[in-house]
């Protein structure tokens, strides 16, 4: 006679039937210092994220043990800021490494859904003028709407046959095109471009170019380095300055464009999952792109809340392939005319 074997559901024994949210970790039970050292952000910032993302993170589940939005956010912040799924971090909030991974996916998706809310160019005239004034105050460069550059983030190889993500150093990466304002707030972030594409090709294909060529270029211009072509809406430095005005233009250009280098250092310092010190992002290019964009959203939210880490020392060693390019001088006569007028009007 066969003896029936009962399969025990450990969750059922411990927590009973039905949808239940586990409060594994209480924010009020720990200090701000602990939260900042472990998860990268203070209590009030985390509470803000719970309010912002809570509805998206409380979706119905078939599991008997749903993880609370608060715990999911802590898990994701722990990964973003440390680059690790270390067991000790999961233990601190009472979840497994597998649950940590699911939490990162959930929070990343919720942040990406809100990217356009936090990463965008200003539209009203007063804010646009304020943007230009802030840039002018840095080094006297007029009409600047933002500074643009690319940054590489290392990812695991998608597969042996796909070489489109192999950059000039032979590493797999995503080449991310970003624009920031004078404070380091991101105004645009396209994080999905394959690492094999040089910066000028990324910009050529980017949504940013379409927008500036159809909407924004009459209001001012971006500043880009010599890896980009000169355009009517994108001012680049002169390859070989000869006159005093050209030297002054290049100096003002360099001092202003440096803002985005500082912004990249800030992002690497705060979000260690992107800096390469813990290895590459172990996700597909699409998921890696979403993680990068989620960190960009958090970067802007943190600046909005006064959490500026520009004064922090840069850490990590994100692999940055050195661009092997010749000077990208434009054959666009109109763009050359715009830059020459800028030289004559403001730097002569």
């Amino acid at each position: 006679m066969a003896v029936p074997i009962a399969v025990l559901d450990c969750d059922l024994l411990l927590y009973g039937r039905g949808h239940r949210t586990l409060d594994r970790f209480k924010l009020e039970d720990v200090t701000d210092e602990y939260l900042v050292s472990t998860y990268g952000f203070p209590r009030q910032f985390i509470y803000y994220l719970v309010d912002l993302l809570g509805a998206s993170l409380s979706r119905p589940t078939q599991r008997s043990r749903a993880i609370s939005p608060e715990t999911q956010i802590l898990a994701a912040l722990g990964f973003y800021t440390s680059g690790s799924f270390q067991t000790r971090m999961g233990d601190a909030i009472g979840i497994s490494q597998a649950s940590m991974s699911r939490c990162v996916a959930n929070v990343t998706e919720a942040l990406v859904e809100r990217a356009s809310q936090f990463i965008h160019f200003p539209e009203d005239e007063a804010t646009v003028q304020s943007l230009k004034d802030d840039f002018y105050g840095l080094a006297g460069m007029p009409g600047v709407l933002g500074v643009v550059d690319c940054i590489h983030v290392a990812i695991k190889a998608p597969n042996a046959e796909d070489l489109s993500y192999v950059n000039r150093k032979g590493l797999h990466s995503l080449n991310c095109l970003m624009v920031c304002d004078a404070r380091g707030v991101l105004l645009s972030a396209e994080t999905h471009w394959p690492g094999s594409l040089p910066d000028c090709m990324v910009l050529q294909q980017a949504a940013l170019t379409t927008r500036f060529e159809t909407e924004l270029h009459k209001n001012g211009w971006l500043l880009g380095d010599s890896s980009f072509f000169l355009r009517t809406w994108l001012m680049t430095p002169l390859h070989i300055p000869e006159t005093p005005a050209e030297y002054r233009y290049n100096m003002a250009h360099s001092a202003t464009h440096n803002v985005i280098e500082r912004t990249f250092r800030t992002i690497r310092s705060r979000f260690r999952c992107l800096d390469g010190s813990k290895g590459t992002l172990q996700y597909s290019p699409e998921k890696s792109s979403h993680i990068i964009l989620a960190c960009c959203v958090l970067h802007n939210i943190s600046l909005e809340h006064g959490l500026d880490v520009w004064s922090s020392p840069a850490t990590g060693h994100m692999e940055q392939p050195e661009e092997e390019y010749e000077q990208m001088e434009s054959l666009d006569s109109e763009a050359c005319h715009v830059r020459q007028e800028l030289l004559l009007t403001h730097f002569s």
Side-chain angles (χ1 to χ4, degrees), residues 33 38 54-55 60 103 107 148 152 170 180 195 207-208 219 223 236 238 259 284 287 320 338-339:
E33 290 76 11
T38 307
C103 290
V107 174
V148 59
H152 285 255
C180 74
L208 179 69
N219 297 324
L223 296 188
T236 60
L238 289 137
V259 171
S284 68
K287 289 183 178 179
Q320 282 287 78
V338 170
R339 186 169 65 182

Side-chain angles (χ1 to χ4, degrees), residues 224-226 228-230 234-238 249 253 328 339:
D225 64 20
S226 298
F228 300 113
F229 286 108
L230 177 71
L234 177 63
M235 294 293 102
T236 60
L238 289 137
Y249 167 84
H253 188 291
M328 296 295 184
R339 186 169 65 182

Side-chain angles (χ1 to χ4, degrees), residues 8-193:
L8 300 180
D9 184 335
C10 294
D11 283 357
L12 178 61
L13 288 175
L14 289 172
Y15 301 102
R17 294 188 180 277
H19 179 84
R20 185 184 297 268
T21 297
L22 295 184
D23 294 319
R24 298 171 168 83
F25 184 91
K26 296 289 188 181
L27 282 175
E28 58 269 22
D29 292 342
V30 295
T31 64
D32 254 11
E33 290 76 11
Y34 172 81
L35 291 172
V36 171
S37 65
T38 307
Y39 304 103
F41 294 95
R43 187 187 328 275
Q44 290 306 315
F45 184 86
I46 296 170
Y47 280 142
Y48 172 82
L49 292 181
V50 172
D51 289 340
L52 177 70
L53 308 178
S56 298
L57 300 176
S58 301
R59 293 164 180 157
T61 175
Q62 297 299 316
R63 296 170 58 83
S64 60
R65 300 173 64 194
I67 301 176
S68 70
E70 183 177 292
T71 299
Q72 292 184 62
I73 288 168
L74 288 170
L77 292 179
F79 170 72
Y80 297 147
T81 59
S82 74
S84 174
F85 284 127
Q86 292 180 12
T87 303
R88 64 177 181 80
M89 186 168 293
D91 290 344
I93 53 179
I95 61 175
S96 66
Q97 181 173 315
S99 293
M100 283 275 293
S101 182
R102 286 193 295 272
C103 290
V104 171
N106 292 342
V107 174
T108 296
E109 180 183 352
L111 287 167
V112 167
E113 287 173 354
R114 292 160 177 80
S116 61
Q117 177 183 344
F118 293 99
I119 303 175
H120 57 81
F121 282 91
E123 296 182 356
D124 62 282
E125 290 186 14
T127 309
V128 170
Q129 187 58 51
S130 177
L131 184 65
K132 294 179 183 178
D133 292 343
D134 289 344
F135 275 117
Y136 187 79
L138 294 178
M141 181 70 76
V144 180
L145 296 170
V147 289
V148 59
D149 209 346
C150 288
I151 185 170
H152 285 255
V153 177
I155 63 171
K156 73 173 183 178
N159 56 66
E161 291 76 28
D162 188 352
L163 301 180
S164 64
Y165 292 92
V166 179
N167 60 40
R168 291 182 182 275
K169 286 191 172 181
L171 305 172
H172 289 81
S173 68
L174 290 169
N175 195 4
C176 306
L177 180 73
M178 300 188 192
V179 179
C180 74
D181 70 8
R183 292 178 49 239
V185 175
L186 295 173
L187 306 175
S188 177
E190 299 184 34
T191 60
H192 62 283
W193 297 103

Side-chain angles (χ1 to χ4, degrees), residues 135 138 147 149 180-182 223 251-265 310:
F135 275 117
L138 294 178
V147 289
D149 209 346
C180 74
D181 70 8
L223 296 188
M251 289 179 64
H253 188 291
S254 177
T256 307
H257 189 266
N258 186 54
V259 171
I260 198 161
E261 299 302 329
R262 295 174 68 192
T263 299
F264 288 160
R265 288 196 297 270
W310 271 8

